[in-house]
Amino acid sequence: MAPETGGQAVMGFWEPPCLETARLILTWPTETQIEGFYDDIIGTDMFDTIVWDGPGCVEDLHAWWAGNRAIDPADPALPFSVAMIEKRSGVCVGGAGLSPKAEDPTTVTVSYTIAPMAQGRGFATETVQGLVDEAFTHRGVQRILGPVFVGNGASRRVLEKAGFQFDGTTPNALAKRGVSIDLWNLSLARESWEESLRARRG
């Protein structure tokens, strides 16, 4: 983890973010949590429906998180990545992030992935809602995009539960393992989020 800094940057490293949901802490993972997550995902089919093809080895995952710890999480113009740490067990069950558009940081793309052993338990829904609230409340975001591989109904439902609306399908949006992939495009505007926030607060 990053060294204790009292909120100051030390050699490019920063205090970790810490967002809390009902069952999760969204933060940077420890070395042990990274290794546990690697063991839970390697050799599974979870990469079939996401852009990421997975780490080649555990060192790749350590290096990726080391790179994230060198990015100031308070800068809304920079990518923001967190691990999903289950409060009860301390286990890393997934990862998620916000990626600002270079030409307009007020528009971001949300992404998330869940280890197979933790799927179907609502962790992705909690995480997306937490990131949505963070983006609109603290990061000056006006619109959040949520692309999903066509056919990945579970991922689409996660976004829809958070208030995302379906905008249409982009054919041949990307290639994965030599196969052309179509994308469902979903998005959430600030105005819609504000309406849902008022409803949640009663």
Side-chain angles (χ1 to χ4, degrees):
M1 294 296 289
E4 293 296 328
T5 65
Q8 300 297 315
V10 174
M11 296 190 302
F13 286 80
W14 306 85
E15 285 294 309
C18 187
L19 308 179
E20 188 170 348
T21 72
R23 296 174 296 165
L24 301 170
I25 300 294
L26 307 179
T27 187
W28 292 334
T30 65
E31 302 300 297
T32 298
Q33 288 165 341
I34 290 170
E35 290 166 7
F37 185 62
Y38 177 84
D39 290 341
D40 287 334
I41 65 174
I42 204 67
T44 70
D45 63 358
M46 65 175 277
F47 307 105
D48 292 349
T49 55
I50 59 176
V51 174
W52 186 36
D53 282 327
C57 58
V58 70
E59 287 76 16
D60 289 347
L61 207 52
H62 282 297
W64 190 84
W65 278 110
N68 278 289
R69 289 194 292 268
I71 298 173
D72 181 2
D75 188 337
L78 299 177
F80 177 79
S81 297
V82 290
M84 307 174 197
I85 309 300
E86 186 184 17
K87 292 178 185 178
R88 179 183 58 80
S89 66
V91 170
C92 177
V93 297
L98 300 169
S99 300
K101 294 288 186 182
E103 66 277 12
D104 178 12
T106 68
T107 297
V108 302
T109 299
V110 65
S111 58
Y112 46 91
T113 187
I114 302 284
M117 58 83 178
Q119 291 175 3
R121 296 167 61 187
F123 290 141
T125 300
E126 277 187 39
T127 298
V128 169
Q129 189 64 68
L131 288 180
V132 162
D133 291 345
E134 166 69 14
F136 286 126
T137 302
H138 300 296
R139 306 180 77 81
V141 169
Q142 297 299 315
R143 188 165 181 252
I144 305 178
L145 309 178
V148 176
F149 282 21
V150 168
N152 189 353
S155 188
R156 177 171 171 172
R157 285 190 292 274
V158 165
L159 294 172
E160 290 173 337
K161 287 177 183 177
F164 283 67
Q165 301 297 312
F166 177 64
D167 297 326
T169 302
T170 301
N172 306 315
L174 54 88
K176 182 177 176 71
R177 302 170 185 166
V179 177
S180 181
I181 301 294
D182 301 338
L183 288 181
W184 283 326
N185 301 302
L186 293 93
S187 67
L188 177 62
R190 172 176 287 277
E191 294 79 5
S192 297
W193 169 78
E194 289 173 344
E195 290 179 8
S196 69
L197 186 61
R198 286 192 290 269
R200 277 189 279 156
R201 290 175 173 173

